[in-house]
Amino acid sequence: MAMLDVKDLSVDFLVEGRKLPAVSNASFSVEKGEILALVGESGCGKSVSCMALARLVPAPPGVYSSGSITFNHADRKYDVLKLDKKNLREFRRHRISYIFQEPSASLNPVFRVGDQIAESILLRGDTDDSIKVIEETVSVLRQVGIPEPEQKMKCYPHELSGGMQQRIMIAMALASKPDLLVADEPTTALDVTIQAQILELLREIRNQTGMSIILVTHNLGIVADMADRVVVMYAGHVVETANAKTILVEPLHPYTRALISAVPKLRHQSEKLATIPGNVPSPANYPKGCRFFGRCQLADSLTADKQELCISTVPEISEKRKGHFCRCHYSK
Ligand SMILES: Nc1ncnc2c1ncn2[C@@H]1O[C@H](COP(=O)(O)OP(=O)(O)OP(=O)(O)O)[C@@H](O)[C@H]1O
Ligand code: SF4
Ligand SMILES: [Mg+2]
């Protein structure tokens, strides 16, 4: 049984009387201790999918239109979309933490960083002994590689560099001892050396604690280095999932293929998701059939009567090989 199981999840935004589909019928799972990478171009629904996991999509305008999010912990099962307020608060405090691209999204500028970490520890509700809380604050700062933690804990966020702020944000996320850490492009704003250090830190933490991580990234080099499994999203759909090596070496979906062939050297940390011709359609203009039609090389190579299926019918996602799922009428 997977730790996190997302089934058929759809999230729409109600904007000016229209229902805009941000995430459509997405299914994916995360095992305990696994690093799952979520990739896809801008606007494909990665962040909305992540926010939905703890019901953090602002509603309204967001609407959870279909599906379920199940989180299994020991003998407890959380049906996230159905939790009442009290259980949702408990779930958010104990099971899941988020880190974002901008530390300012999590760090409060008017409180010392040590106090903010202490707050996360206290919110867990398993200790209120102030000496223990301070000791744990120092220890978690040390765990994320902050030098002189006793001094640094007294700093305000602006007194620290971007890389250090990122580490503080990770420390806050870790202080709540989550089972799942969701890292939404955590290093995009940092320079390459600091990026590598932060990612190494996340991997170490996973190895030490057995925490699961969902890592949203535009960078296929990071996928190659970090991920166990990959979910590729396109225009709100999950279009392919498989283990990382399979995705990178034997991608099945034409979109994944295009992403990969657009990157000259995969192992280059600095390589961003390179552009492929054309644009992701906006949720206001999703086509009736396959959302990738119009940019798809495989479809371009098909006869007009075969293309008709791409144009008329959304492909279902199906298991093409063991553990390898793909949403395409024609890829084999
Ligand atoms: N609050 C909102 N109101 C209306 N539409 C929204 C809202 N938040 C997100 N969307 C739309 O939902 C879709 C998915 O957005 P999302 O932020 O998940 O993309 P993403 O894959 O994370 O992109 P990026 O790589 O740029 O972060 C987009 O079309 C976006 O415009
Ligand atoms: S269903 Fe058609 S348009 Fe969509 S990815 Fe497959 S071949 Fe391309
Ligand atoms: Mg995003």
Side-chain angles (χ1 to χ4, degrees):
M1 189 169 45
M3 191 183 76
L4 174 76
D5 202 4
V6 176
K7 278 214 171 81
D8 195 39
L9 177 70
S10 299
V11 182
D12 300 321
F13 287 101
L14 283 179
V15 180
E16 291 165 3
R18 292 190 65 186
K19 208 167 163 186
L20 305 180
V23 175
S24 309
N25 311 100
S27 296
F28 59 92
S29 61
V30 184
E31 301 292 333
K32 188 170 164 24
E34 182 173 54
I35 299 183
L36 181 80
L38 206 50
V39 302
E41 287 163 290
S42 190
C44 283
K46 305 180 299 294
S47 295
V48 171
S49 301
C50 288
M51 301 302 274
L53 301 178
R55 242 162 77 192
L56 290 170
V57 177
V63 183
Y64 297 93
S65 309
S66 77
S68 64
I69 299 170
T70 313
F71 193 97
N72 296 295
H73 172 78
D75 52 358
R76 255 200 96 166
K77 190 177 197 159
Y78 299 82
D79 188 348
V80 177
L81 295 183
K82 294 192 178 147
L83 292 175
D84 62 19
K85 265 192 178 160
K86 178 169 164 281
N87 284 302
L88 181 60
R89 202 178 316 124
E90 193 261 347
F91 173 74
R92 287 176 180 165
R93 267 183 201 164
H94 295 281
R95 303 289 156 241
I96 189 164
S97 282
Y98 286 81
I99 54 176
F100 299 99
Q101 188 173 333
E102 287 299 325
S104 57
S106 307
L107 297 181
N108 189 325
V110 303
F111 293 109
R112 294 175 201 275
V113 296
D115 291 342
Q116 299 189 51
I117 294 167
E119 178 74 12
S120 290
I121 295 169
L122 286 167
L123 274 175
R124 262 184 359 226
D126 57 5
T127 179
D128 56 4
D129 176 331
S130 55
I131 294 184
K132 278 199 182 135
V133 171
I134 293 170
E135 279 173 1
E136 193 174 334
T137 301
V138 170
S139 140
V140 77
L141 284 169
R142 199 166 277 135
Q143 190 186 1
V144 298
I146 303 270
E148 302 171 329
E150 289 86 352
Q151 275 76 50
K152 289 291 189 309
M153 64 192 271
K154 295 180 191 134
C155 291
Y156 291 93
H158 75 269
E159 296 176 292
L160 301 169
S161 67
M164 283 294 150
Q165 289 184 23
Q166 201 74 3
R167 284 171 195 264
I168 299 287
M169 191 162 56
I170 296 172
M172 267 175 74
L174 292 180
S176 62
K177 295 198 176 154
D179 302 283
L180 174 64
L181 180 69
V182 181
D184 193 347
E185 304 200 49
T187 59
T188 311
L190 302 171
D191 77 47
V192 176
T193 321
I194 312 282
Q195 258 192 38
Q197 290 171 5
I198 298 284
L199 292 168
E200 181 54 35
L201 172 65
L202 289 178
R203 198 164 33 193
E204 267 172 33
I205 289 165
R206 185 278 298 264
N207 293 346
Q208 283 166 13
T209 63
M211 182 187 289
S212 309
I213 298 177
I214 294 180
L215 180 65
V216 177
T217 179
H218 277 97
N219 186 321
L220 292 175
I222 292 177
V223 172
D225 286 342
M226 297 279 294
D228 300 310
R229 239 156 25 88
V230 182
V231 169
V232 182
M233 290 194 75
Y234 184 78
H237 275 146
V238 169
V239 295
E240 185 163 9
T241 81
N243 75 51
K245 195 165 167 226
T246 306
I247 287 269
L248 294 169
V249 179
E250 299 170 276
L252 289 177
H253 197 282
Y255 178 57
T256 316
R257 289 186 176 165
L259 286 180
I260 289 170
S261 62
V263 182
K265 279 206 188 85
L266 211 54
R267 292 242 133 222
H268 248 239
Q269 277 284 325
S270 60
E271 292 298 348
K272 293 274 161 20
L273 209 56
T275 45
I276 47 179
N279 294 308
V280 185
S282 99
N285 303 309
Y286 282 155
K288 183 162 157 263
C290 178
R291 293 177 184 173
F292 192 48
F293 188 79
R295 300 178 84 189
C296 177
Q297 280 199 352
L298 176 55
D300 288 349
S301 70
L302 299 170
T303 56
D305 55 328
K306 283 197 162 174
Q307 286 182 351
E308 207 37 55
L309 183 60
C310 305
I311 295 166
S312 65
T313 312
V314 175
E316 295 288 322
I317 190 155
S318 63
E319 191 167 17
K320 306 272 182 186
R321 294 177 199 157
K322 195 169 173 0
H324 193 164
F325 294 80
C326 174
R327 188 188 282 278
C328 171
H329 293 304
Y330 294 109
S331 83
K332 293 195 182 82

